[in-house]
Structure formats: structure tokens, C-alpha cells
Amino acid sequence: LRLMDAKSLRREQLVIALSFRIGGLIHSCRRSTAYKAFKRDYKRLSEARNFAYLLRNGASACDSSEAIEFSRKAIQIFRKTGDEYGQLTTLNNLGVFEANEDKFDRAYKHFSYALNGLHSYGLIHIEEALVNKGICAMSLNDLDEAESILRRCLTLASDNVPRYYAAQSLAAVHSLRGDTKKCLNLLSTAFKSATRIGILPHLQRYILNSALIADLCAPKSKLAYQFLE
């Protein structure tokens, strides 16, 4: 589908269509196609009033350095237009891209700022930001803070992807503390529900991460092999 051939559509409608297409391609493991679609058409939509949302979504198809660049451009536009929701959700994404570059201090600040404002925009955004902030705190070796954040997410979250990642990350915290029993028990319990994840890249990443944590925590345990079967 060549979205830009639809001349009857307004630019704003094309931004929405292309943004959804990018998300769908990423979730169906076609990241390179999503990247090509974004890079091919985004400049021609730069005059659209909702262009910053295309930059926000398109950044997820890019590598970390380019994703950071597009996210910052989106945030600048959101600030000029007074779009708090766009700014906060993009800051959360920017934190992920910064963390991928091992800039954990900067990422932690982004997640914290986003969390402070996202309470007005629905629980799902809070769940995502909490998981991101908890993992970032763990990466900064602040295990007490990480556990507190991840437990808060588990209390708030419904049976969804952020909840699965929160449980998995909390198991990693237990592993780093040397509490093998808590780690393996939580991994095993959470895995039974997490297999219902319907988005293949998330499910694949969850399985691999669970196996890795189990193997690092207890190399002689058969749990890692069970996850991969």
C-alpha cells in the first residue's frame, strides 16, 4: 500500500494512517519495512498539524541514535503546540532509546518526568513508564528503588504486557540479590500467564529474557530449558 498515492486524503489523515501502518509492521516483525515506509514519506508530511506524532511513532522503527533525534524533534513540536500528552508519551519513548545507548541517568529522568504527568491519560501509559523506570533503576544498581517501582506496577497493572515485564524484571532484581528461590518462583509463575502475549516480538523477547535470567540465577536449573521448549 502506497499511502502517499491517496491524494484525496488530507495530510493529517495520512499521518494517522502511516503511523498506524508503522506500528502494525513493527508488531508483525517487519521493522525494516516500517523504517522504509517512515523514511520514504515523513518529510512530505511535515506540514501536517499532527506531524509530531508521526515522528514519535516512526522513531520506534529506527536505531537508537536516529530514534533519539526524531523523538527530540517531536518533543520540540509538542512543546510549541502545548500538547502535553504527546510530549509525555514521547519522553517515555525517548527514555527507552537513551537506555539502549546506556545513558541510564538521562533515561531515568525522562521516565520520572513522564510518570509525573501521565496520570491524567490512562493507566496503560503509567504501567509502561513504571516498568521502564524500574528496569532503569535496576540498571543503575538501585535495587531497592527498582523493587519498589516494579511492585507498584504489579499492583496497578492488569493482565497485560507491562505486568509480565514488571514480574520478569522483579525476578531479575531477586537474582541480583542472590535470592535464587524468589527469582525462579516468580519467573515460573509469571511465565504461565505471559505465554498469552499476542504480539510475537514481545513474546519472543519475554521467553529469551526469562531463560537468560533463570540460567544466570541458577545455571544448573532446568527452568531455562523449559522456557525455550
Side-chain angles (χ1 to χ4, degrees):
L1 175 64
R2 297 278 304 183
L3 290 175
M4 297 307 299
D5 291 339
K7 295 181 180 179
S8 61
L9 291 177
R10 293 176 57 186
R11 284 189 296 252
E12 286 76 17
Q13 292 172 308
L14 286 168
V15 163
I16 294 171
L18 182 54
S19 297
F20 273 105
R21 185 182 181 220
I22 289 168
L25 288 168
I26 291 173
H27 289 319
S28 61
C29 301
R30 298 170 64 191
R31 191 184 194 88
S32 62
T33 304
Y35 178 77
K36 291 176 183 177
F38 171 61
K39 292 301 294 280
R40 182 189 65 219
D41 292 333
Y42 84 95
K43 289 183 179 179
R44 286 187 276 179
L45 293 171
S46 62
E47 297 301 317
R49 289 173 295 177
N50 54 353
F51 176 63
Y53 282 98
L54 178 58
L55 293 178
R56 183 196 68 175
N57 291 14
S60 296
C62 304
D63 61 31
S64 294
S65 59
E66 199 171 22
I68 289 170
E69 178 186 347
F70 284 121
S71 296
R72 287 175 177 167
K73 287 181 180 178
I75 289 169
Q76 288 177 353
I77 297 172
F78 285 133
R79 284 175 176 164
K80 287 180 180 178
T81 59
D83 188 334
E84 183 185 54
Y85 172 80
Q87 179 185 342
L88 293 173
T89 52
T90 308
L91 268 175
N92 184 49
N93 292 350
L94 178 58
V96 174
F97 305 139
E98 297 275 19
N100 289 340
E101 296 277 300
D102 294 334
K103 300 173 182 175
F104 297 113
D105 287 314
R106 190 179 300 176
Y108 189 87
K109 291 178 182 178
H110 292 325
F111 297 140
S112 298
Y113 188 94
L115 265 173
N116 288 336
L118 283 171
H119 295 278
S120 304
Y121 299 103
L123 185 58
I124 184 62
H125 300 296
I126 297 173
E127 294 168 352
E128 291 175 0
L130 280 172
V131 172
N132 292 337
K133 187 178 179 180
I135 294 172
C136 197
M138 180 172 58
S139 299
L140 290 167
N141 204 33
D142 190 344
L143 300 186
D144 289 340
E145 175 74 355
E147 180 171 356
S148 175
I149 294 169
L150 294 169
R151 287 195 182 279
R152 182 184 171 201
C153 183
L154 288 172
T155 300
L156 292 174
S158 55
D159 187 21
N160 57 15
V161 172
R163 181 180 181 84
Y164 305 148
Y165 281 130
Q168 185 183 72
S169 301
L170 182 56
V173 170
H174 291 320
S175 176
L176 291 170
R177 284 181 167 152
D179 197 331
T180 301
K181 184 176 180 180
K182 280 187 178 181
C183 173
L184 297 183
N185 284 345
L186 184 53
L187 279 177
S188 182
T189 301
F191 192 83
K192 295 175 183 177
S193 298
T195 52
R196 295 198 296 269
I197 296 175
I199 303 173
L200 185 58
H202 284 303
L203 179 58
Q204 291 172 328
R205 184 163 63 245
Y206 187 90
I207 291 172
L208 291 173
N209 286 347
S210 294
L212 178 61
I213 294 169
D215 187 59
L216 290 173
C217 181
K220 295 182 180 180
S221 170
K222 295 181 180 180
L223 192 59
Y225 298 100
Q226 293 173 7
F227 289 152
L228 295 172
E229 288 179 351

